[in-house]
Amino acid sequence: MLTFSPGRFAGASLAALAMILAAPAAAQDGASSDDQAREPAEGGNQIIVTGLRREDTLQDTPAAITAFNAEAIENAGIDKPADFINLTSNVNLVETQNVGNAFIVIRGITQARNSEPSVAVVIDGVQQVNPAAFSQDLFDIEQIEVLKGPQGALYGRNAIGGAIIITTKQPTDQLEGNITAGIDNGFGFYTHAGLSGPISDNVRFRIAGLYKDTDGYIPNPYLGREADPYKDYALRGNLLFDPGAGFSVDLRASLDRTRTTGFWYNIVGDVNDTSLPVRVNNEGIDNRDMNNVSAKLTYDGDGFKVTSVTSYDTVKEIITGDAFDFLPTNEAYCALPSDPCFSGSTDLNQSQYLNVKAFSQELRFESPSNEDLFWMFGGYLISTDRFISTGNMLDLGKGVFPVYREPTSNPDNPQYSFLSDSQDNFAWAAFANLGYKFSDLLRIDASLRYDHDKRENTTETPNAWLGYINYIASLYGAPQSAQGDVRTRNFSAWQPKVTVTLTPTPDLTFYGGYSRGFRSGGFNQTGVGVVALSNGVVGVNDVFEAETADTFELGFKSQLADGLLTLNGSVYTTESKNSYFFVFLYANSTQNLGNVPKVRLKGFELEANVNPTDDLQFNVAWGLTDSEIKSFPDPAAIGNEAPVVSRSTLNVGAQYTPYIGGGLSALLRADYRRIGRTWWDVYNSTVRNPVELVDVRAGVKGEHWSLTAFASNLFNEKYNAEFSPGGFVFKARPRIYGVEAGYRF
């Protein structure tokens, strides 16, 4: 186990970088720096990225972008978001108990339960509208781009930390297909496949699917089985019409069904405590159903292009399981003598239900991207209907049963508390981009977007279940709550972005600029403000405010020794206003968001890639983020690190793909990642020690087939993936290993 003080860590990291620059090694193809996705210099080709809304080579794009092409995705075994995020500097994914919740933390811009996302996620040109849909299995993927820094001027609200652009494999002119199947030590089995080809001269199709089933990896000795079984199946279809005359129509539909378990936490005071086994007495469920249909219509005219993107999405998730303190019946501890489990004879369990439907529409007009003058303008709207309910039930030892829109009348699992709210949200935006290449040396790009978000929250909780909240409200002279109450708030912001690019030589680019990101505010469940106040929790109210982040950034990109070495770097400073933090209120079993009025973030990234030969690659990437709370209602938190922010990331990787004869090539790959110290709440009550992970892959590939062995978390690092205020910890996955085989035609 490696341990570093901050000073020693910085020195060791710089020493590692120096060793790599001096070593005869090469960076991984597309694995972690801006240039790792490009082909070796001898090939003369570079990956084309579209993250800035225009096509350009990765090396010439004036932004900190990590990109992964199809070959890199296959070689790295990327099949879920955590895989590519773990290969990206200054970006972390906090995996949580809810299957639909995985928090992206990018340059210190964080995410929390029930919050808007910290990045815009765009899949095949359609922006994902619900953060509960991000954490899903990836298959049949052509390219992934991760943009760092606010991208609100380009992608609107919620692109406050950056953007993730995912492109699936497109329909083809000839019939082709692929299938991959694998097993792991879960015992788990998975397979995914794709088939594509022409239907007629101007109609092409692609269909792809996935199935995954594992018994799990983390034992629950109380129940005598694994705590985390997981099943998922997904299907995606695509029809591409090309009638000619500049028109094209891209129709897509997808579904995803995930089945796993919920609420198997441990309660600890120190996030580094991994000694406790999972001991919940209710296995519970966590079932998520997602559907999407979309249509993209494009017209390429004479000197301009028009694109219309229409999308309809639904996400449903029901979660049940044990409640605080997640111990078996007769062992549970309750905080108050009045609680039903105080005697030790009765426990609590819980249920949460989420149902979200969203319709979105974007229309944009743009010039050809290869001209010196580039322009784009358009508009966007989205309508969202959201319902959420949470509640506790008395655990009589007869199991836990789901509760949806109404309190349960089940005598085997009687309702103890219940809250529900619905939201009717409508947002719209107008945007314009303008860029001009004055010469080979100078280019200036400017973008401006205005987002307006109207949110309406209706209390759906029956009056009979509002007694506790109204009692607390009466003590503080606050308004009483009633079923049917409507709260309305408007959130809006201008989001500018300006970038200046200097290219003194074809192998050297400097860029710098200013950008703003905006993330909409919203509503906690009815009455939590007074409950938080009565429990001494500050910064949490019935409404959480919108967040803005203003960033100044300078960066460079360089290629040396005829493309043998790529060295890129960037430095940034961000002022975040009203960033989110998470609080669980045990008193009414609600998950809530609060605001930190002001946080200052400062950091940098330095990435190197060496390609001495076509088949040998090596990379290193170091990212540092320093966060400081500048303003908070409780002065005790001022000067602390911001919640859920990791101080640093270090990535080192190597890949060797030699030709071994007989039409066969080999794959040897290793990736090392170190996640620095991580803080979890505004008071910095606990800090996770650095986490070090190693993933390896080895295999052989022929013209139409491949066979690969793999291991993630090779050295079985034990750590908690998440810590929530109140001591809730969620265990990270242990070592997972297996073998997979693929065939393509």
Side-chain angles (χ1 to χ4, degrees):
M1 179 69 64
L2 299 175
T3 57
F4 300 109
S5 67
R8 290 174 61 198
F9 171 54
S13 299
L14 291 174
L17 176 61
M19 290 172 61
I20 288 166
L21 297 181
Q28 299 164 14
D29 187 321
S32 92
S33 76
D34 283 27
D35 286 349
Q36 290 159 7
R38 71 183 183 89
E39 297 293 332
E42 292 84 345
N45 297 317
Q46 294 191 35
I47 189 172
I48 302 299
V49 296
T50 60
L52 295 186
R53 293 286 200 182
R54 67 174 191 271
E55 292 186 354
D56 208 343
T57 61
L58 183 58
Q59 184 63 15
D60 294 334
T61 300
I65 304 179
T66 299
F68 306 83
N69 60 14
E71 183 180 5
I73 291 169
E74 180 181 357
N75 287 343
I78 294 173
D79 61 11
K80 56 185 181 298
D83 295 331
F84 68 82
I85 288 177
N86 282 341
L87 295 171
T88 306
S89 62
N90 257 349
V91 183
N92 287 309
L93 189 73
V94 178
E95 296 187 273
T96 74
Q97 180 81 149
N98 299 37
V99 68
N101 272 333
F103 310 147
I104 304 173
V105 184
I106 183 166
R107 288 182 169 180
I109 300 295
T110 62
Q111 187 179 341
R113 278 181 176 78
N114 303 323
S115 80
E116 298 294 329
S118 56
V119 299
V121 179
V122 181
I123 302 176
D124 293 327
V126 178
Q127 190 158 333
Q128 200 174 78
V129 299
N130 192 322
F134 175 68
S135 183
Q136 58 180 288
D137 292 301
L138 301 174
F139 57 97
D140 212 40
I141 304 298
E142 180 66 28
Q143 186 163 302
I144 301 170
E145 304 170 33
V146 182
L147 285 76
K148 304 172 191 174
Q151 305 296 330
L154 299 177
Y155 294 102
R157 60 181 196 142
N158 304 333
I160 188 168
I164 295 175
I165 315 300
I166 298 175
T167 304
T168 64
K169 292 185 177 180
Q170 303 300 296
T172 55
D173 292 323
Q174 295 182 339
L175 185 67
E176 64 175 45
N178 64 84
I179 183 170
T180 299
I183 57 173
D184 65 31
N185 59 312
F187 177 78
F189 166 79
Y190 62 90
T191 184
H192 55 83
L195 182 67
S196 178
I199 296 176
S200 65
D201 290 343
N202 56 7
V203 180
R204 290 169 286 163
F205 80 95
R206 190 172 195 100
I207 186 169
L210 170 141
Y211 179 78
K212 181 177 290 188
D213 187 351
T214 179
D215 293 335
Y217 310 95
I218 297 173
N220 178 348
Y222 183 84
L223 293 178
R225 53 183 178 267
E226 306 308 306
D228 58 331
Y230 179 89
K231 291 184 180 180
D232 184 67
Y233 68 88
L235 188 65
R236 182 173 62 240
N238 179 199
L239 283 175
L240 186 60
F241 298 85
D242 185 11
F247 289 94
S248 66
V249 179
D250 191 344
L251 303 179
R252 295 175 183 269
S254 65
L255 62 84
D256 190 292
R257 302 289 184 265
T258 305
R259 302 292 182 263
T260 182
T261 56
F263 301 130
W264 40 272
Y265 292 104
N266 288 125
I267 305 299
V268 299
D270 180 0
V271 66
N272 300 296
D273 184 355
T274 60
S275 62
L276 299 177
V278 174
R279 299 193 67 241
V280 295
N281 62 282
N282 287 299
E283 185 175 63
I285 61 171
D286 188 351
N287 297 342
R288 182 186 61 179
D289 296 348
M290 300 189 299
N291 302 286
N292 168 262
V293 291
S294 66
K296 181 166 68 173
L297 286 68
T298 305
Y299 173 69
D300 271 310
D302 186 9
F304 71 97
K305 180 179 179 180
V306 183
T307 303
S308 169
V309 181
T310 308
S311 179
Y312 179 72
D313 300 81
T314 66
V315 177
K316 294 181 182 180
E317 185 176 12
I318 179 70
I319 319 172
T320 69
D322 270 8
F324 186 88
D325 57 359
F326 306 98
L327 290 174
T329 304
N330 300 325
E331 295 184 33
Y333 166 79
C334 289
L336 301 174
S338 59
D339 285 346
C341 55
F342 182 76
S343 66
S345 61
T346 307
D347 197 1
L348 293 177
N349 54 46
Q350 61 180 310
S351 178
Q352 298 182 12
Y353 176 60
L354 175 70
N355 188 330
V356 183
K357 302 173 183 176
F359 170 83
S360 64
Q361 172 66 53
E362 183 180 42
L363 181 65
R364 64 178 183 267
F365 301 80
E366 61 190 286
S367 66
S369 61
N370 57 354
E371 295 184 354
D372 289 345
L373 176 65
F374 174 77
W375 53 263
M376 181 174 67
F377 65 91
Y380 176 80
L381 62 84
I382 178 171
S383 176
T384 305
D385 180 9
R386 179 179 184 267
F387 176 87
I388 185 171
S389 71
T390 62
N392 283 354
M393 291 82 69
L394 300 181
D395 188 351
L396 304 181
K398 299 180 181 180
V400 56
F401 300 91
V403 177
Y404 295 91
R405 293 182 178 270
E406 302 291 339
T408 183
S409 58
N410 186 343
D412 292 331
N413 200 200
Q415 198 82 45
Y416 176 64
S417 65
F418 182 80
L419 290 175
S420 62
D421 291 282
S422 62
Q423 290 188 17
D424 183 7
N425 305 328
F426 181 79
W428 61 270
F431 55 86
N433 305 334
L434 185 66
Y436 188 69
K437 183 179 179 181
F438 291 89
S439 66
D440 290 341
L441 174 65
L442 175 65
R443 179 187 178 97
I444 298 178
D445 293 277
S447 306
L448 183 64
R449 179 171 176 133
Y450 179 78
D451 279 82
H452 181 87
D453 193 353
K454 179 181 179 181
R455 302 202 163 200
E456 182 179 280
N457 186 91
T458 301
T459 301
E460 304 289 356
T461 309
N463 289 328
W465 295 95
L466 290 170
Y468 174 75
I469 288 175
N470 285 332
Y471 169 71
I472 297 297
S474 68
L475 296 180
Y476 289 87
Q480 303 283 299
S481 299
Q483 186 176 18
D485 285 350
V486 177
R487 298 176 289 168
T488 303
R489 286 290 301 270
N490 293 307
F491 305 97
S492 60
W494 291 95
Q495 297 182 84
K497 179 181 176 70
V498 178
T499 303
V500 177
T501 307
L502 296 174
T503 312
T505 72
D507 295 326
L508 181 61
T509 299
F510 296 99
Y511 64 90
Y514 161 79
S515 58
R516 167 175 286 181
F518 160 71
R519 177 161 48 180
S520 188
F523 299 97
N524 290 316
Q525 289 192 258
T526 302
V528 301
V530 292
V531 176
L533 181 63
S534 69
N535 284 271
V537 177
V538 300
V540 175
N541 300 289
D542 282 13
V543 176
F544 55 91
E545 300 298 331
E547 179 185 1
T548 59
D550 293 276
T551 296
F552 292 90
E553 180 175 358
L554 294 172
F556 73 93
K557 296 186 173 185
S558 64
Q559 294 189 84
L560 306 173
D562 294 326
L564 171 68
L565 168 65
T566 300
L567 183 64
N568 300 330
S570 60
V571 60
Y572 60 89
T573 179
T574 298
E575 182 179 270
S576 168
K577 295 181 179 179
N578 292 323
S579 63
Y580 297 160
F581 70 95
F582 173 78
V583 170
F584 174 79
L585 290 176
Y586 169 75
N588 61 350
S589 191
T590 54
Q591 301 178 9
N592 307 286
L593 295 177
N595 291 115
V596 180
K598 185 176 178 181
V599 173
R600 170 62 66 180
L601 303 163
K602 297 180 290 185
F604 68 85
E605 290 120 17
L606 188 61
E607 305 176 335
N609 176 24
V610 186
N611 296 337
T613 66
D614 287 350
D615 56 16
L616 183 61
Q617 305 167 7
F618 206 92
N619 77 281
V620 63
W622 181 30
L624 178 69
T625 297
D626 178 66
S627 66
E628 182 181 358
I629 296 175
K630 292 291 189 178
S631 176
F632 194 71
D634 184 350
I638 296 175
N640 287 348
E641 301 278 347
V644 202
V645 176
S646 300
R647 173 60 60 86
S648 62
T649 62
L650 174 65
N651 291 82
V652 179
Q655 179 176 287
Y656 185 43
T657 54
Y659 178 73
I660 56 178
L664 302 178
S665 61
L667 168 68
L668 296 173
R669 181 185 177 103
D671 291 290
Y672 165 82
R673 178 171 174 90
R674 183 184 191 272
I675 305 171
R677 287 160 59 85
T678 306
W679 290 262
W680 299 94
D681 59 12
V682 294
Y683 294 106
N684 292 179
S685 62
T686 186
V687 55
R688 191 179 69 189
N689 294 330
V691 173
E692 295 177 279
L693 303 171
V694 175
D695 298 339
V696 295
R697 294 176 66 84
V700 63
K701 179 188 296 186
E703 182 179 0
H704 297 289
W705 60 271
S706 62
L707 183 65
T708 308
F710 61 87
S712 61
N713 192 5
L714 177 65
F715 297 109
N716 204 28
E717 175 93 337
K718 290 181 172 60
Y719 66 101
N720 289 314
E722 180 198 16
F723 179 94
S724 291
F728 300 74
V729 289
F730 171 55
K731 290 179 178 291
R733 296 290 189 268
R735 176 172 50 235
I736 299 175
Y737 56 89
V739 62
E740 67 180 27
Y743 179 77
R744 56 192 174 276
F745 62 89

